[in-house]
Amino acid sequence: MDKYYSITELTREFGVSTRTLRFYEDEGLIHPERRGRTRLFRAADRRLIQEILRGRRIGFTISEIREIIHVYKEPPGESGQLVMLMKKVDEKRAELRQKRKDIEETLAELDNVEEACLTRLAEIGVGT
């Protein structure tokens, strides 16, 4: 017999709200079974939630996650999904490297502004 998980079990396990899981369902990322108003999640749903949350942690959008899931379900299947995932990882890595460069440049500029302020305060005789 298949093991089912309740929404409460999964929210506790993954530290997310029921609203989050309902959102993923509304977005078509997961498809729990319904018995009346009760959602029943299979082991496959649980693994998918795990992967969705992992994708969110590394910065993928819901749209990107949907695309990755869709590629897995259609030809070329898992190999296509892995190739796409590697491409998206490279893109995310490049984006983060650019952000890091931008942050380093901003920090250097802030250091320059601070140094200029300190120099000018010393010139006009104001101690810090």
Side-chain angles (χ1 to χ4, degrees):
M1 182 163 169
D2 287 337
K3 161 90 169 128
Y4 289 96
Y5 301 89
S6 71
I7 197 167
T8 302
E9 288 174 309
L10 294 178
T11 58
R12 287 181 182 150
E13 178 180 354
F14 294 116
V16 297
S17 67
T18 56
R19 185 175 179 185
T20 296
L21 295 183
R22 288 185 196 117
F23 173 74
Y24 294 155
E25 182 181 3
D26 291 344
E27 289 293 317
L29 299 176
I30 56 176
H31 305 282
E33 287 186 24
R34 293 289 200 122
R35 292 206 185 131
R37 294 183 49 150
T38 304
R39 290 169 174 84
L40 297 174
F41 297 86
R42 295 171 299 279
D45 296 316
R46 185 184 163 278
R47 283 190 303 278
L48 194 51
I49 292 166
Q50 202 169 19
E51 292 304 315
I52 292 166
L53 294 172
R54 180 180 182 204
R56 296 297 290 151
R57 275 192 311 274
I58 61 176
F60 289 149
T61 65
I62 292 297
S63 178
E64 289 171 323
I65 292 168
R66 184 183 302 105
E67 184 180 10
I68 292 165
I69 290 169
H70 181 73
V71 168
Y72 180 77
K73 292 179 180 179
E74 302 292 329
E78 186 177 10
S79 65
Q81 181 189 41
L82 293 171
V83 168
M84 174 189 280
L85 185 55
M86 288 186 333
K87 180 180 179 242
K88 296 230 176 261
V89 164
D90 284 343
E91 290 169 1
K92 185 59 63 179
R93 187 179 289 124
E95 181 184 312
L96 289 171
R97 284 184 176 135
Q98 182 61 51
K99 285 180 181 180
R100 180 172 55 193
K101 181 179 177 238
D102 294 344
I103 288 169
E104 290 299 325
E105 289 174 1
T106 300
L107 287 170
E109 187 62 30
L110 290 170
D111 290 343
N112 291 339
V113 168
E114 181 181 44
E115 185 61 36
C117 290
L118 290 171
T119 299
R120 183 63 186 141
L121 285 170
E123 288 173 0
I124 61 175
V126 177
T128 55

